[in-house]
DNA sequence: ATTTGTGCAAATCGTTTGCATCTGA
DNA sequence: TCAGATGCAAACGATTTGCACAAAT
């Protein structure tokens, strides 16, 4: 159905490339990807989009709440197709992300944010490395 | 005293610029800063270092455990002069970091990391924004 | 028809590197 | 002396932008 409608709802015109990218994103198991990767995938599926458009689209989707941007690695952005609140492992050896299984992490006692501020999101990143025997 | 000695202990030659930067870092209240900022501060104090050297030095200090690198903002690295484990508020409006007061956050039930991996660090970032009344 | 999106290439930004020169031990 | 540091400018990789063209309403 609905890719078309979801875009509309988000106030985004359902253009050919936005639809194609949206479908790619939804149909993919691998949920954490970089612009570069999505661009590659698109090409592999015969969808012709420029890298610039991929970037624009990813940000538009993020603004529209269809994606979540993860800042994990200096100088590289990851986008998560799972927008519900959850946290991540970052495997340093492979520069790869993995979801932390649901409610395995609980943050107790949220400290009050500074004066006049509200929490907008909480990101927990558990960096893991090869175990050394 | 000891800036000189701390560098030696870290296996870093106490050169003019490393000493100067180390002293700047220690003597500053503001503990979260970018390479750009440190470079600016150095210049302001009449210390002549190139930006490249500031970058190198920050990374050497990080490797030596004198600083901690924070990944918070896509495409910009922050360095924290406080290396003891603690977490951060990130004030989105000003791109500014602030420490979360000691043990206000506790993570319960650490999920097991993926097969053959060990946790190398846990970063918690609480993003805050201007409260809208 | 008008507005909005797209592609491309060039521009930008933070960061890194190569190399000739200098400096601390 | 001489390994290790530094400065500079050029190289870099990720991301962004400007503008002419194309597509959606």
């Amino acid at each position: 159905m609905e890719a078309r409608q979801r875009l509309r709802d988000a106030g985004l015109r359902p253009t050919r490339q936005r639809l194609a990218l949206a479908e790619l994103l939804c149909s993919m198991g691998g949920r954490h990807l970089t612009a570069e990767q999505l661009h590659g995938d698109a090409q592999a599926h015969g969808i012709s989009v420029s890298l610039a458009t991929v970037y624009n689209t990813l940000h538009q989707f993020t603004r529209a709440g269809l994606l979540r941007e993860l800042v994990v690695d200096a100088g590289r952005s990851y986008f998560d197709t799972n927008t519900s609140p959850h946290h991540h492992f970052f495997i340093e050896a492979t520069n790869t992300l993995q979801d932390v299984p649901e409610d395995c992490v609980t943050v107790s006692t949220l400290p009050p944010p500074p004066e006049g501020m509200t929490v907008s999101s909480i990101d927990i990143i558990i960096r893991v490395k090869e175990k050394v025997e």
Side-chain angles (χ1 to χ4, degrees), chain A residues 68-87:
Chain A
R68 175 168 158 204
E69 187 172 0
L70 301 174
V71 180
V72 147
D73 195 8
R76 191 187 256 60
S77 276
Y78 289 80
F79 294 86
D80 192 341
T81 56
N82 177 1
T83 56
S84 50
H86 65 285
H87 305 294

Side-chain angles (χ1 to χ4, degrees), chain A residues 81-128:
Chain A
T81 56
N82 177 1
T83 56
S84 50
H86 65 285
H87 305 294
H88 296 93
F89 290 113
F90 181 63
I91 295 106
E92 299 178 325
T94 57
N95 272 49
T96 283
L97 283 160
Q98 202 166 309
D99 286 352
V100 169
E102 186 85 43
D103 26 272
C104 277
V105 175
T106 336
V107 180
S108 55
T109 338
L110 244 208
E115 188 50 27
M117 303 269 149
T118 20
V119 171
S120 97
S121 72
I122 301 181
D123 293 353
I124 303 186
I125 297 155
I126 304 174
R127 295 172 194 276
V128 301

Side-chain angles (χ1 to χ4, degrees), chain A residues 20-21 24 36-49 54:
Chain A
L21 291 178
L24 252 191
E36 209 74 54
Q37 281 165 16
L38 181 55
H39 184 237
D41 284 10
Q43 309 240 285
H45 286 248
I47 302 161
S48 127
V49 260
V54 171

Side-chain angles (χ1 to χ4, degrees), chain A residues 39 49-59:
Chain A
H39 184 237
V49 260
S50 71
L51 184 53
T53 298
V54 171
Y55 274 105
N56 291 334
T57 305
L58 284 172
H59 286 133

